Amino acid sequence: MSRRIQFLEGFRHLDAGSGLSDTGGIQASASALKVLGVASTVALGGFLVGFDATVISGAVPFIRDYFGLGGDSGSLKLGWAVSCLGWGAMAGNLAAGVLSDRFGRKKVLLLTSLLFLASALTAASSTSFTVFVIARICGGLAVGAAILTAPVYIAEIAPAPARGSLVSLNQLMIVIGISISFFSNYFLVSLGAESWRWMLGVQVIPAAVYFLLLILVPESPRWLLSKGREQSALAVLEQVHGSAAAQRELADIQASLGSKSRRFTLRALLSGRLRRVLIFGFGIAFFQQATGINAVFYYLPTIFAQAGGGLATAFGQSVFVGFVNVGMTFVAIWLIDRLGRKPLLCIGVAGMTVSLLTISWAFYTAHAAIGGAPAVSHGTVVLVAIAAFVASFAISLGPVMWVMLAEIFPNEERAAAISVVGFWNSLVSASVTLFFPQELATWGPAGTFLAYGLLAAAGLLFIVLLAPETKGKTLEELERMLARPTQAPG
Ligand code: BGC
């Protein structure tokens, strides 16, 4: 009992959000648990996103042999096999906005669970490179749609004081998915040449579970209201926030939707009303990917092997990095509604800059010292610096970008705007992962990580100058604060 109270205490803002007095405490706790349950279920989409994206890192050494992607001539094709998921994700990003505005957030999430399932089955059983790539692109469609729709849904159902933590659950699930993929690859690698099929195939289990659980969650109240379904919206708000808070929120959302009838058009964009949030959105989405997080995650065993360890050690080190990622995401969830978004971004991106430059330095001195054959001690520096890089990302750009993208756009434009910015994020990610093997071959690891480090320094400057603080305000308050050209953010 006391543990449960402690846990609820962590989410006590939910009770505050419900506006109930002490006598309503039990009801408020029940609401808090409901919101937490719904948000966690939807966030399972993040698990599939993370798993599907990084599971490829374990398959790389095997598909390279199976599909004949070795050598200099094969490196671009290998890059394609790894990054094609990202290109599919871009299509998924664009489709997510249109589909989730039209059919609702829940239906889009249900669709992604089926796509994850089909993609895993097909990729795992493929005997031709083309079928493999098509299956991975389908997985990418699901990744692209889920990674945007899940945070939007959670932001739209969460009470303001706990929104940062609840939306971050999605990132937590992403990183747990990433870790479990490293973990399962680590166990499955012993199956030998065909192990890649198992690595990719096990995803059918979480995909099926996600589908079944999603059936139980309600539709987003803000989407329901945007479709004029007031009674259904009120029912959902009452179910998750309690009746007093539900009435207040309903009125606030109605005011935000009713005061104007807007579409996310080029005109709206050029009018300047959204310019500030779009510049920030595009910028943070760029820096989240251009600083190399997915180059690191998708090629982790390959990087560690370059730093001097064998392949088996490299798989073990990847598991360790996965744990660091999960642990630090918990720290971010704890801090995001307390410390705020901007301080976390500043601290984390400063840490990313330092660790990336350290990785570059370690590779550089390893090569300088022994003429091209890296020493194991440098391998340790690389391991520690990569862990520090991932830890810094996990408390900053990882969760905070998704939280802020789900917050900064007005109700009516949220899904469409996040679609476009998410597309851009995937485009940068896919480019980074496509060119990474070639960059390693031409610039070497030292040059490649130096470039990421310099980009991280630029990202820090961008954040210091342009990031607004969105902590603690309702989505409607943020809309009033950020979506007007006459007012400064933050
Ligand atoms: C990013 C992903 C990345 C993951 C790593 C997410 O926030 O959008 O591209 O793989 O974090 O933790």
Side-chain angles (χ1 to χ4, degrees), residues 249-284:
E249 281 216 32
L250 189 79
D252 215 12
I253 302 167
Q254 263 169 340
S256 134
L257 294 172
S259 59
K260 58 256 145 182
S261 165
R262 291 189 305 257
R263 288 263 144 263
F264 184 76
T265 58
L266 196 60
R267 193 127 142 269
L269 206 150
L270 295 177
S271 74
R273 197 178 59 84
L274 291 183
R275 193 180 300 143
R276 193 175 317 230
V277 282
L278 279 171
I279 290 175
F280 176 70
F282 274 104
I284 193 168

PDB file of all heavy atoms in Angstrom, residues 249-284:
ATOM      1  N   GLU A 249     -11.717  21.729 -18.366  1.00  0.00           N
ATOM      2  CA  GLU A 249     -10.880  21.470 -19.550  1.00  0.00           C
ATOM      3  C   GLU A 249     -11.698  21.554 -20.820  1.00  0.00           C
ATOM      4  O   GLU A 249     -11.244  22.077 -21.836  1.00  0.00           O
ATOM      5  CB  GLU A 249     -10.244  20.078 -19.442  1.00  0.00           C
ATOM      6  CG  GLU A 249      -9.059  20.078 -18.537  1.00  0.00           C
ATOM      7  CD  GLU A 249      -7.965  19.136 -19.021  1.00  0.00           C
ATOM      8  OE1 GLU A 249      -7.813  18.945 -20.241  1.00  0.00           O
ATOM      9  OE2 GLU A 249      -7.285  18.578 -18.157  1.00  0.00           O
ATOM     10  N   LEU A 250     -12.912  21.019 -20.730  1.00  0.00           N
ATOM     11  CA  LEU A 250     -13.778  21.034 -21.907  1.00  0.00           C
ATOM     12  C   LEU A 250     -13.983  22.472 -22.390  1.00  0.00           C
ATOM     13  O   LEU A 250     -13.843  22.775 -23.581  1.00  0.00           O
ATOM     14  CB  LEU A 250     -15.126  20.396 -21.573  1.00  0.00           C
ATOM     15  CG  LEU A 250     -16.028  20.150 -22.779  1.00  0.00           C
ATOM     16  CD1 LEU A 250     -15.585  18.901 -23.529  1.00  0.00           C
ATOM     17  CD2 LEU A 250     -17.480  19.989 -22.344  1.00  0.00           C
ATOM     18  N   ALA A 251     -14.271  23.358 -21.433  1.00  0.00           N
ATOM     19  CA  ALA A 251     -14.522  24.756 -21.794  1.00  0.00           C
ATOM     20  C   ALA A 251     -13.268  25.384 -22.402  1.00  0.00           C
ATOM     21  O   ALA A 251     -13.340  26.103 -23.409  1.00  0.00           O
ATOM     22  CB  ALA A 251     -14.953  25.529 -20.546  1.00  0.00           C
ATOM     23  N   ASP A 252     -12.126  25.074 -21.814  1.00  0.00           N
ATOM     24  CA  ASP A 252     -10.868  25.654 -22.289  1.00  0.00           C
ATOM     25  C   ASP A 252     -10.540  25.174 -23.706  1.00  0.00           C
ATOM     26  O   ASP A 252     -10.132  25.953 -24.571  1.00  0.00           O
ATOM     27  CB  ASP A 252      -9.743  25.268 -21.324  1.00  0.00           C
ATOM     28  CG  ASP A 252      -8.718  26.390 -21.203  1.00  0.00           C
ATOM     29  OD1 ASP A 252      -9.017  27.507 -21.669  1.00  0.00           O
ATOM     30  OD2 ASP A 252      -7.637  26.138 -20.651  1.00  0.00           O
ATOM     31  N   ILE A 253     -10.723  23.868 -23.914  1.00  0.00           N
ATOM     32  CA  ILE A 253     -10.419  23.317 -25.248  1.00  0.00           C
ATOM     33  C   ILE A 253     -11.389  23.910 -26.271  1.00  0.00           C
ATOM     34  O   ILE A 253     -10.996  24.305 -27.370  1.00  0.00           O
ATOM     35  CB  ILE A 253     -10.533  21.770 -25.263  1.00  0.00           C
ATOM     36  CG1 ILE A 253      -9.600  21.146 -24.235  1.00  0.00           C
ATOM     37  CG2 ILE A 253     -10.190  21.226 -26.645  1.00  0.00           C
ATOM     38  CD1 ILE A 253      -9.865  19.675 -23.968  1.00  0.00           C
ATOM     39  N   GLN A 254     -12.668  24.004 -25.856  1.00  0.00           N
ATOM     40  CA  GLN A 254     -13.662  24.560 -26.769  1.00  0.00           C
ATOM     41  C   GLN A 254     -13.302  25.985 -27.163  1.00  0.00           C
ATOM     42  O   GLN A 254     -13.420  26.370 -28.322  1.00  0.00           O
ATOM     43  CB  GLN A 254     -15.045  24.540 -26.118  1.00  0.00           C
ATOM     44  CG  GLN A 254     -15.834  23.336 -26.557  1.00  0.00           C
ATOM     45  CD  GLN A 254     -17.090  23.142 -25.734  1.00  0.00           C
ATOM     46  OE1 GLN A 254     -17.205  23.671 -24.616  1.00  0.00           O
ATOM     47  NE2 GLN A 254     -18.030  22.394 -26.270  1.00  0.00           N
ATOM     48  N   ALA A 255     -12.827  26.748 -26.177  1.00  0.00           N
ATOM     49  CA  ALA A 255     -12.457  28.134 -26.472  1.00  0.00           C
ATOM     50  C   ALA A 255     -11.319  28.159 -27.481  1.00  0.00           C
ATOM     51  O   ALA A 255     -11.319  28.954 -28.427  1.00  0.00           O
ATOM     52  CB  ALA A 255     -12.045  28.840 -25.188  1.00  0.00           C
ATOM     53  N   SER A 256     -10.357  27.259 -27.293  1.00  0.00           N
ATOM     54  CA  SER A 256      -9.203  27.235 -28.195  1.00  0.00           C
ATOM     55  C   SER A 256      -9.617  26.821 -29.605  1.00  0.00           C
ATOM     56  O   SER A 256      -9.110  27.334 -30.589  1.00  0.00           O
ATOM     57  CB  SER A 256      -8.135  26.296 -27.648  1.00  0.00           C
ATOM     58  OG  SER A 256      -7.637  25.451 -28.640  1.00  0.00           O
ATOM     59  N   LEU A 257     -10.555  25.875 -29.699  1.00  0.00           N
ATOM     60  CA  LEU A 257     -10.962  25.408 -31.023  1.00  0.00           C
ATOM     61  C   LEU A 257     -11.979  26.347 -31.654  1.00  0.00           C
ATOM     62  O   LEU A 257     -11.981  26.555 -32.858  1.00  0.00           O
ATOM     63  CB  LEU A 257     -11.601  24.008 -30.924  1.00  0.00           C
ATOM     64  CG  LEU A 257     -10.677  22.874 -30.491  1.00  0.00           C
ATOM     65  CD1 LEU A 257     -11.485  21.614 -30.259  1.00  0.00           C
ATOM     66  CD2 LEU A 257      -9.598  22.619 -31.526  1.00  0.00           C
ATOM     67  N   GLY A 258     -12.832  26.930 -30.805  1.00  0.00           N
ATOM     68  CA  GLY A 258     -13.957  27.688 -31.327  1.00  0.00           C
ATOM     69  C   GLY A 258     -13.604  29.094 -31.765  1.00  0.00           C
ATOM     70  O   GLY A 258     -14.269  29.672 -32.620  1.00  0.00           O
ATOM     71  N   SER A 259     -12.511  29.648 -31.224  1.00  0.00           N
ATOM     72  CA  SER A 259     -12.234  31.056 -31.494  1.00  0.00           C
ATOM     73  C   SER A 259     -11.780  31.317 -32.921  1.00  0.00           C
ATOM     74  O   SER A 259     -11.795  32.422 -33.386  1.00  0.00           O
ATOM     75  CB  SER A 259     -11.171  31.567 -30.517  1.00  0.00           C
ATOM     76  OG  SER A 259     -10.016  30.791 -30.664  1.00  0.00           O
ATOM     77  N   LYS A 260     -11.364  30.309 -33.609  1.00  0.00           N
ATOM     78  CA  LYS A 260     -10.942  30.508 -34.992  1.00  0.00           C
ATOM     79  C   LYS A 260     -11.020  29.185 -35.740  1.00  0.00           C
ATOM     80  O   LYS A 260     -10.981  28.123 -35.133  1.00  0.00           O
ATOM     81  CB  LYS A 260      -9.508  31.037 -35.056  1.00  0.00           C
ATOM     82  CG  LYS A 260      -8.494  30.139 -34.392  1.00  0.00           C
ATOM     83  CD  LYS A 260      -8.063  30.672 -33.077  1.00  0.00           C
ATOM     84  CE  LYS A 260      -7.792  29.539 -32.101  1.00  0.00           C
ATOM     85  NZ  LYS A 260      -7.415  29.970 -30.811  1.00  0.00           N
ATOM     86  N   SER A 261     -11.136  29.274 -37.018  1.00  0.00           N
ATOM     87  CA  SER A 261     -11.159  28.054 -37.801  1.00  0.00           C
ATOM     88  C   SER A 261      -9.939  28.083 -38.700  1.00  0.00           C
ATOM     89  O   SER A 261      -9.878  28.827 -39.661  1.00  0.00           O
ATOM     90  CB  SER A 261     -12.439  28.005 -38.611  1.00  0.00           C
ATOM     91  OG  SER A 261     -12.312  27.034 -39.604  1.00  0.00           O
ATOM     92  N   ARG A 262      -8.926  27.306 -38.332  1.00  0.00           N
ATOM     93  CA  ARG A 262      -7.671  27.393 -39.065  1.00  0.00           C
ATOM     94  C   ARG A 262      -7.279  26.042 -39.620  1.00  0.00           C
ATOM     95  O   ARG A 262      -7.651  25.007 -39.122  1.00  0.00           O
ATOM     96  CB  ARG A 262      -6.554  27.848 -38.111  1.00  0.00           C
ATOM     97  CG  ARG A 262      -6.666  29.248 -37.642  1.00  0.00           C
ATOM     98  CD  ARG A 262      -5.403  29.607 -36.922  1.00  0.00           C
ATOM     99  NE  ARG A 262      -5.113  28.666 -35.853  1.00  0.00           N
ATOM    100  CZ  ARG A 262      -5.331  28.934 -34.584  1.00  0.00           C
ATOM    101  NH1 ARG A 262      -5.849  30.081 -34.227  1.00  0.00           N
ATOM    102  NH2 ARG A 262      -5.033  28.048 -33.661  1.00  0.00           N
ATOM    103  N   ARG A 263      -6.477  26.054 -40.612  1.00  0.00           N
ATOM    104  CA  ARG A 263      -5.862  24.844 -41.142  1.00  0.00           C
ATOM    105  C   ARG A 263      -4.368  25.079 -41.177  1.00  0.00           C
ATOM    106  O   ARG A 263      -3.916  26.214 -41.222  1.00  0.00           O
ATOM    107  CB  ARG A 263      -6.366  24.550 -42.550  1.00  0.00           C
ATOM    108  CG  ARG A 263      -7.764  24.064 -42.595  1.00  0.00           C
ATOM    109  CD  ARG A 263      -7.789  22.531 -42.668  1.00  0.00           C
ATOM    110  NE  ARG A 263      -8.888  21.986 -41.915  1.00  0.00           N
ATOM    111  CZ  ARG A 263      -8.782  21.525 -40.658  1.00  0.00           C
ATOM    112  NH1 ARG A 263      -7.648  21.512 -40.048  1.00  0.00           N
ATOM    113  NH2 ARG A 263      -9.815  21.036 -40.036  1.00  0.00           N
ATOM    114  N   PHE A 264      -3.627  24.003 -41.182  1.00  0.00           N
ATOM    115  CA  PHE A 264      -2.175  24.146 -41.283  1.00  0.00           C
ATOM    116  C   PHE A 264      -1.832  24.323 -42.759  1.00  0.00           C
ATOM    117  O   PHE A 264      -1.635  23.356 -43.481  1.00  0.00           O
ATOM    118  CB  PHE A 264      -1.506  22.896 -40.721  1.00  0.00           C
ATOM    119  CG  PHE A 264      -0.017  23.004 -40.696  1.00  0.00           C
ATOM    120  CD1 PHE A 264       0.619  23.758 -39.735  1.00  0.00           C
ATOM    121  CD2 PHE A 264       0.760  22.345 -41.630  1.00  0.00           C
ATOM    122  CE1 PHE A 264       1.987  23.858 -39.706  1.00  0.00           C
ATOM    123  CE2 PHE A 264       2.130  22.442 -41.609  1.00  0.00           C
ATOM    124  CZ  PHE A 264       2.741  23.200 -40.646  1.00  0.00           C
ATOM    125  N   THR A 265      -1.840  25.562 -43.216  1.00  0.00           N
ATOM    126  CA  THR A 265      -1.588  25.823 -44.625  1.00  0.00           C
ATOM    127  C   THR A 265      -0.301  26.618 -44.749  1.00  0.00           C
ATOM    128  O   THR A 265       0.220  27.139 -43.770  1.00  0.00           O
ATOM    129  CB  THR A 265      -2.717  26.677 -45.227  1.00  0.00           C
ATOM    130  OG1 THR A 265      -2.777  27.892 -44.474  1.00  0.00           O
ATOM    131  CG2 THR A 265      -4.045  25.970 -45.184  1.00  0.00           C
ATOM    132  N   LEU A 266       0.155  26.704 -46.003  1.00  0.00           N
ATOM    133  CA  LEU A 266       1.357  27.490 -46.266  1.00  0.00           C
ATOM    134  C   LEU A 266       1.110  28.936 -45.832  1.00  0.00           C
ATOM    135  O   LEU A 266       1.993  29.618 -45.330  1.00  0.00           O
ATOM    136  CB  LEU A 266       1.665  27.424 -47.765  1.00  0.00           C
ATOM    137  CG  LEU A 266       3.075  27.852 -48.177  1.00  0.00           C
ATOM    138  CD1 LEU A 266       4.103  26.969 -47.499  1.00  0.00           C
ATOM    139  CD2 LEU A 266       3.233  27.780 -49.687  1.00  0.00           C
ATOM    140  N   ARG A 267      -0.138  29.378 -46.014  1.00  0.00           N
ATOM    141  CA  ARG A 267      -0.506  30.737 -45.654  1.00  0.00           C
ATOM    142  C   ARG A 267      -0.311  30.946 -44.149  1.00  0.00           C
ATOM    143  O   ARG A 267       0.301  31.925 -43.719  1.00  0.00           O
ATOM    144  CB  ARG A 267      -1.965  30.979 -46.058  1.00  0.00           C
ATOM    145  CG  ARG A 267      -2.343  32.433 -46.003  1.00  0.00           C
ATOM    146  CD  ARG A 267      -2.953  32.867 -47.352  1.00  0.00           C
ATOM    147  NE  ARG A 267      -4.059  33.792 -47.146  1.00  0.00           N
ATOM    148  CZ  ARG A 267      -5.320  33.375 -47.020  1.00  0.00           C
ATOM    149  NH1 ARG A 267      -5.616  32.090 -47.038  1.00  0.00           N
ATOM    150  NH2 ARG A 267      -6.263  34.260 -46.870  1.00  0.00           N
ATOM    151  N   ALA A 268      -0.830  29.974 -43.380  1.00  0.00           N
ATOM    152  CA  ALA A 268      -0.708  30.081 -41.923  1.00  0.00           C
ATOM    153  C   ALA A 268       0.766  30.151 -41.532  1.00  0.00           C
ATOM    154  O   ALA A 268       1.178  30.905 -40.656  1.00  0.00           O
ATOM    155  CB  ALA A 268      -1.364  28.883 -41.263  1.00  0.00           C
ATOM    156  N   LEU A 269       1.551  29.355 -42.254  1.00  0.00           N
ATOM    157  CA  LEU A 269       2.979  29.297 -41.963  1.00  0.00           C
ATOM    158  C   LEU A 269       3.659  30.632 -42.254  1.00  0.00           C
ATOM    159  O   LEU A 269       4.430  31.143 -41.453  1.00  0.00           O
ATOM    160  CB  LEU A 269       3.567  28.200 -42.848  1.00  0.00           C
ATOM    161  CG  LEU A 269       4.829  27.492 -42.416  1.00  0.00           C
ATOM    162  CD1 LEU A 269       4.793  26.072 -42.971  1.00  0.00           C
ATOM    163  CD2 LEU A 269       6.048  28.187 -42.935  1.00  0.00           C
ATOM    164  N   LEU A 270       3.316  31.188 -43.419  1.00  0.00           N
ATOM    165  CA  LEU A 270       3.964  32.430 -43.822  1.00  0.00           C
ATOM    166  C   LEU A 270       3.423  33.644 -43.068  1.00  0.00           C
ATOM    167  O   LEU A 270       4.083  34.670 -42.983  1.00  0.00           O
ATOM    168  CB  LEU A 270       3.802  32.642 -45.333  1.00  0.00           C
ATOM    169  CG  LEU A 270       4.510  31.591 -46.199  1.00  0.00           C
ATOM    170  CD1 LEU A 270       4.240  31.828 -47.672  1.00  0.00           C
ATOM    171  CD2 LEU A 270       6.017  31.584 -45.938  1.00  0.00           C
ATOM    172  N   SER A 271       2.222  33.492 -42.513  1.00  0.00           N
ATOM    173  CA  SER A 271       1.615  34.625 -41.820  1.00  0.00           C
ATOM    174  C   SER A 271       2.445  35.037 -40.603  1.00  0.00           C
ATOM    175  O   SER A 271       2.314  36.126 -40.102  1.00  0.00           O
ATOM    176  CB  SER A 271       0.212  34.258 -41.351  1.00  0.00           C
ATOM    177  OG  SER A 271       0.325  33.391 -40.243  1.00  0.00           O
ATOM    178  N   GLY A 272       3.282  34.143 -40.152  1.00  0.00           N
ATOM    179  CA  GLY A 272       4.139  34.506 -39.030  1.00  0.00           C
ATOM    180  C   GLY A 272       3.587  34.050 -37.705  1.00  0.00           C
ATOM    181  O   GLY A 272       4.297  33.999 -36.718  1.00  0.00           O
ATOM    182  N   ARG A 273       2.306  33.663 -37.674  1.00  0.00           N
ATOM    183  CA  ARG A 273       1.714  33.287 -36.396  1.00  0.00           C
ATOM    184  C   ARG A 273       2.422  32.063 -35.812  1.00  0.00           C
ATOM    185  O   ARG A 273       2.634  31.961 -34.615  1.00  0.00           O
ATOM    186  CB  ARG A 273       0.230  32.980 -36.599  1.00  0.00           C
ATOM    187  CG  ARG A 273      -0.591  32.982 -35.337  1.00  0.00           C
ATOM    188  CD  ARG A 273      -2.036  32.724 -35.677  1.00  0.00           C
ATOM    189  NE  ARG A 273      -2.196  31.448 -36.355  1.00  0.00           N
ATOM    190  CZ  ARG A 273      -2.294  30.304 -35.714  1.00  0.00           C
ATOM    191  NH1 ARG A 273      -2.261  30.255 -34.417  1.00  0.00           N
ATOM    192  NH2 ARG A 273      -2.416  29.179 -36.392  1.00  0.00           N
ATOM    193  N   LEU A 274       2.794  31.133 -36.711  1.00  0.00           N
ATOM    194  CA  LEU A 274       3.465  29.915 -36.238  1.00  0.00           C
ATOM    195  C   LEU A 274       4.966  29.942 -36.485  1.00  0.00           C
ATOM    196  O   LEU A 274       5.648  28.969 -36.211  1.00  0.00           O
ATOM    197  CB  LEU A 274       2.874  28.688 -36.946  1.00  0.00           C
ATOM    198  CG  LEU A 274       1.441  28.308 -36.596  1.00  0.00           C
ATOM    199  CD1 LEU A 274       1.045  27.040 -37.330  1.00  0.00           C
ATOM    200  CD2 LEU A 274       1.296  28.087 -35.105  1.00  0.00           C
ATOM    201  N   ARG A 275       5.456  31.057 -37.022  1.00  0.00           N
ATOM    202  CA  ARG A 275       6.855  31.046 -37.472  1.00  0.00           C
ATOM    203  C   ARG A 275       7.819  30.696 -36.340  1.00  0.00           C
ATOM    204  O   ARG A 275       8.700  29.871 -36.476  1.00  0.00           O
ATOM    205  CB  ARG A 275       7.228  32.388 -38.099  1.00  0.00           C
ATOM    206  CG  ARG A 275       8.548  32.293 -38.858  1.00  0.00           C
ATOM    207  CD  ARG A 275       8.940  33.607 -39.490  1.00  0.00           C
ATOM    208  NE  ARG A 275       7.958  34.084 -40.439  1.00  0.00           N
ATOM    209  CZ  ARG A 275       7.634  35.383 -40.588  1.00  0.00           C
ATOM    210  NH1 ARG A 275       8.227  36.292 -39.854  1.00  0.00           N
ATOM    211  NH2 ARG A 275       6.734  35.755 -41.464  1.00  0.00           N
ATOM    212  N   ARG A 276       7.593  31.346 -35.212  1.00  0.00           N
ATOM    213  CA  ARG A 276       8.516  31.152 -34.094  1.00  0.00           C
ATOM    214  C   ARG A 276       8.557  29.688 -33.630  1.00  0.00           C
ATOM    215  O   ARG A 276       9.617  29.113 -33.458  1.00  0.00           O
ATOM    216  CB  ARG A 276       8.088  32.036 -32.932  1.00  0.00           C
ATOM    217  CG  ARG A 276       9.116  32.157 -31.864  1.00  0.00           C
ATOM    218  CD  ARG A 276       8.641  33.145 -30.839  1.00  0.00           C
ATOM    219  NE  ARG A 276       8.045  34.297 -31.516  1.00  0.00           N
ATOM    220  CZ  ARG A 276       8.341  35.562 -31.261  1.00  0.00           C
ATOM    221  NH1 ARG A 276       9.208  35.840 -30.347  1.00  0.00           N
ATOM    222  NH2 ARG A 276       7.778  36.537 -31.902  1.00  0.00           N
ATOM    223  N   VAL A 277       7.382  29.079 -33.471  1.00  0.00           N
ATOM    224  CA  VAL A 277       7.382  27.684 -33.004  1.00  0.00           C
ATOM    225  C   VAL A 277       7.895  26.748 -34.084  1.00  0.00           C
ATOM    226  O   VAL A 277       8.515  25.728 -33.788  1.00  0.00           O
ATOM    227  CB  VAL A 277       5.996  27.216 -32.490  1.00  0.00           C
ATOM    228  CG1 VAL A 277       5.741  27.748 -31.110  1.00  0.00           C
ATOM    229  CG2 VAL A 277       4.878  27.538 -33.424  1.00  0.00           C
ATOM    230  N   LEU A 278       7.658  27.108 -35.348  1.00  0.00           N
ATOM    231  CA  LEU A 278       8.171  26.253 -36.418  1.00  0.00           C
ATOM    232  C   LEU A 278       9.687  26.307 -36.494  1.00  0.00           C
ATOM    233  O   LEU A 278      10.345  25.288 -36.663  1.00  0.00           O
ATOM    234  CB  LEU A 278       7.566  26.650 -37.763  1.00  0.00           C
ATOM    235  CG  LEU A 278       6.164  26.084 -38.010  1.00  0.00           C
ATOM    236  CD1 LEU A 278       5.540  26.694 -39.251  1.00  0.00           C
ATOM    237  CD2 LEU A 278       6.198  24.566 -38.133  1.00  0.00           C
ATOM    238  N   ILE A 279      10.243  27.503 -36.354  1.00  0.00           N
ATOM    239  CA  ILE A 279      11.710  27.620 -36.383  1.00  0.00           C
ATOM    240  C   ILE A 279      12.300  26.793 -35.249  1.00  0.00           C
ATOM    241  O   ILE A 279      13.224  26.001 -35.439  1.00  0.00           O
ATOM    242  CB  ILE A 279      12.165  29.098 -36.262  1.00  0.00           C
ATOM    243  CG1 ILE A 279      11.811  29.839 -37.553  1.00  0.00           C
ATOM    244  CG2 ILE A 279      13.663  29.200 -35.979  1.00  0.00           C
ATOM    245  CD1 ILE A 279      12.092  31.328 -37.512  1.00  0.00           C
ATOM    246  N   PHE A 280      11.700  26.927 -34.078  1.00  0.00           N
ATOM    247  CA  PHE A 280      12.217  26.146 -32.957  1.00  0.00           C
ATOM    248  C   PHE A 280      12.027  24.645 -33.214  1.00  0.00           C
ATOM    249  O   PHE A 280      12.937  23.840 -33.001  1.00  0.00           O
ATOM    250  CB  PHE A 280      11.547  26.553 -31.637  1.00  0.00           C
ATOM    251  CG  PHE A 280      11.998  25.689 -30.502  1.00  0.00           C
ATOM    252  CD1 PHE A 280      13.290  25.792 -30.013  1.00  0.00           C
ATOM    253  CD2 PHE A 280      11.158  24.723 -29.967  1.00  0.00           C
ATOM    254  CE1 PHE A 280      13.741  24.957 -29.001  1.00  0.00           C
ATOM    255  CE2 PHE A 280      11.598  23.891 -28.950  1.00  0.00           C
ATOM    256  CZ  PHE A 280      12.892  24.016 -28.471  1.00  0.00           C
ATOM    257  N   GLY A 281      10.834  24.270 -33.691  1.00  0.00           N
ATOM    258  CA  GLY A 281      10.541  22.854 -33.950  1.00  0.00           C
ATOM    259  C   GLY A 281      11.508  22.242 -34.953  1.00  0.00           C
ATOM    260  O   GLY A 281      12.098  21.188 -34.716  1.00  0.00           O
ATOM    261  N   PHE A 282      11.679  22.931 -36.088  1.00  0.00           N
ATOM    262  CA  PHE A 282      12.590  22.406 -37.114  1.00  0.00           C
ATOM    263  C   PHE A 282      14.024  22.347 -36.585  1.00  0.00           C
ATOM    264  O   PHE A 282      14.756  21.398 -36.853  1.00  0.00           O
ATOM    265  CB  PHE A 282      12.539  23.276 -38.374  1.00  0.00           C
ATOM    266  CG  PHE A 282      11.437  22.877 -39.310  1.00  0.00           C
ATOM    267  CD1 PHE A 282      10.270  23.609 -39.406  1.00  0.00           C
ATOM    268  CD2 PHE A 282      11.555  21.735 -40.093  1.00  0.00           C
ATOM    269  CE1 PHE A 282       9.240  23.234 -40.259  1.00  0.00           C
ATOM    270  CE2 PHE A 282      10.535  21.337 -40.946  1.00  0.00           C
ATOM    271  CZ  PHE A 282       9.367  22.090 -41.029  1.00  0.00           C
ATOM    272  N   GLY A 283      14.410  23.361 -35.827  1.00  0.00           N
ATOM    273  CA  GLY A 283      15.779  23.414 -35.308  1.00  0.00           C
ATOM    274  C   GLY A 283      16.058  22.279 -34.336  1.00  0.00           C
ATOM    275  O   GLY A 283      17.030  21.541 -34.480  1.00  0.00           O
ATOM    276  N   ILE A 284      15.168  22.093 -33.382  1.00  0.00           N
ATOM    277  CA  ILE A 284      15.436  21.064 -32.366  1.00  0.00           C
ATOM    278  C   ILE A 284      15.363  19.672 -32.997  1.00  0.00           C
ATOM    279  O   ILE A 284      16.132  18.765 -32.660  1.00  0.00           O
ATOM    280  CB  ILE A 284      14.507  21.223 -31.133  1.00  0.00           C
ATOM    281  CG1 ILE A 284      15.030  20.350 -30.003  1.00  0.00           C
ATOM    282  CG2 ILE A 284      13.071  20.912 -31.425  1.00  0.00           C
ATOM    283  CD1 ILE A 284      14.392  20.627 -28.665  1.00  0.00           C
TER     284      ILE A 284
END
